[in-house]
Amino acid sequence: MIQITIIGSGNVAQHLIKAFSKSKTVEIKQVFSRKKETVQHLIDFEKIVTEYNEIQTADLHIIAVSDNAIAGVSEQLPFNNQLVVHTSGTSSIELLNGKNRRGVFYPLQTFSKSKSLDFSVIPFCLEAENTADFKLLETVAKSVSTAVYSISSEQRKALHVAAVFVSNFTNHLYHLGQEICEENQLPFAILRPLIQETADKINTLDPVDAQTGPAIRHDSNTTDAHLAFLQDKNKKNIYKILTQSIQDNGKKL
């Protein structure tokens, strides 16, 4: 069994604990958490440590903390020449302290503690400083997922920006749509089939070919009516920017 230690107790850390607890290849040796109660529902209590000097060496140490904490955490690890990785989509491998062998173990997904995930389809983007360490990361990732990729730090940065567009920004648009519905006494549930169909279409079509709506049709009567309807300045500006972007990049019908 490959022994791993997970350092962190947030969304990503908790989902990794759940996933690796089911693995037949990987054993969680320790979990570092400032407060034991944060993760005690996920792992045996005796495996949880709260001080850096309690962290033991393992085959792999996964730092799953916020980006601005990665460097500080990696500096405080009480050992040298061990394999240490972070799970960030934007941070370089160089952010990790050089006293240990460095790598990246980035699961490309949106994580919420209350939402269960099927890890078998989550892409893992891996990077390491040598072939042997990469092979170990690959084995660990494949113990929970069927989608494993070798991605450089620069590629991962681009991927994370793309992910923000397709996930975080899209979810914010859901929120704005929900506000519009609620302000007009409409249930947001009416839009759920449309949201699902829009997402499903990109399984068979490129996004540019799946684009529909008044912007791609250059239907100025409709877009002008929508802008006149919107009273909130923020929503109006977002509508204008997205309409222009679609028209600049899309195919005119």
Side-chain angles (χ1 to χ4, degrees):
M1 296 284 281
I2 297 172
Q3 291 191 324
I4 67 171
T5 291
I6 296 175
I7 302 164
S9 58
N11 285 343
V12 175
Q14 292 198 23
H15 277 283
L16 289 176
I17 293 169
K18 291 176 185 177
F20 288 130
S21 294
K22 301 173 184 176
S23 171
K24 296 180 180 179
T25 306
V26 171
E27 176 188 9
I28 299 176
K29 183 174 183 178
Q30 288 181 308
V31 173
F32 174 86
S33 173
R34 289 294 189 185
K35 298 180 179 178
K36 287 195 173 187
E37 58 268 24
T38 306
V39 292
Q40 66 180 10
H41 62 293
L42 299 173
I43 195 79
D44 292 342
F45 193 77
E46 62 271 16
K47 290 187 176 184
I48 306 170
V49 296
T50 59
E51 301 294 335
Y52 286 107
N53 60 14
E54 297 179 289
I55 301 176
Q56 302 170 8
T57 58
D59 297 309
L60 172 63
H61 309 81
I62 301 175
I63 297 178
V65 299
S66 63
D67 286 14
N68 60 5
I70 292 171
V73 169
S74 69
E75 287 177 3
Q76 297 187 68
L77 297 179
F79 42 70
N80 299 314
N81 197 32
Q82 300 297 312
L83 180 54
V84 177
V85 301
H86 67 63
T87 59
S88 169
T90 56
S91 298
S92 167
I93 193 173
E94 302 290 336
L95 192 61
L96 293 165
N97 191 286
K99 66 182 180 180
N100 284 297
R101 307 192 319 272
R102 300 177 293 190
V104 178
F105 192 81
Y106 170 49
L108 178 55
Q109 188 53 274
T110 174
F111 293 96
S112 298
K113 289 176 185 175
S114 59
K115 178 69 168 60
S116 297
L117 292 169
D118 178 6
F119 259 76
S120 68
V121 297
I122 293 178
F124 276 82
C125 305
L126 310 180
E127 183 180 5
E129 293 180 307
N130 64 67
T131 302
D133 285 343
F134 182 87
K135 289 294 185 183
L136 188 142
L137 293 181
E138 190 175 43
T139 299
V140 171
K142 286 183 176 179
S143 76
V144 293
S145 173
T146 59
V148 179
Y149 300 87
S150 174
I151 303 288
S152 71
S153 285
E154 281 302 306
Q155 289 176 315
R156 184 164 31 83
K157 192 180 298 182
L159 189 61
H160 194 262
V161 172
V164 168
F165 271 92
V166 303
S167 178
N168 305 135
F169 288 170
T170 300
N171 187 73
H172 181 61
L173 294 178
Y174 294 159
H175 171 66
L176 297 183
Q178 183 180 33
E179 284 188 341
I180 292 169
C181 285
E182 291 175 350
E183 289 165 1
N184 292 274
Q185 293 77 53
L186 292 164
F188 180 65
I190 291 178
L191 294 176
R192 294 188 190 278
L194 174 62
I195 292 170
Q196 188 61 57
E197 175 61 18
T198 303
D200 288 345
K201 279 200 294 188
I202 61 169
N203 289 318
T204 55
L205 294 172
D206 284 341
V208 69
D209 296 321
Q211 187 69 56
T212 61
I216 195 68
R217 296 194 304 268
H218 288 258
D219 181 356
S220 58
N221 288 336
T222 299
T223 56
D224 288 347
H226 288 172
L227 288 168
F229 173 82
L230 291 169
Q231 299 301 306
D232 180 84
K233 184 177 179 180
N234 183 51
K235 292 186 179 71
K236 191 185 292 281
N237 286 337
I238 291 173
Y239 189 101
K240 288 179 180 178
I241 291 169
L242 292 179
T243 294
Q244 190 63 56
S245 181
I246 290 169
Q247 293 177 345
D248 288 346
N249 293 283
K251 298 175 181 178
K252 186 174 181 180
L253 298 184

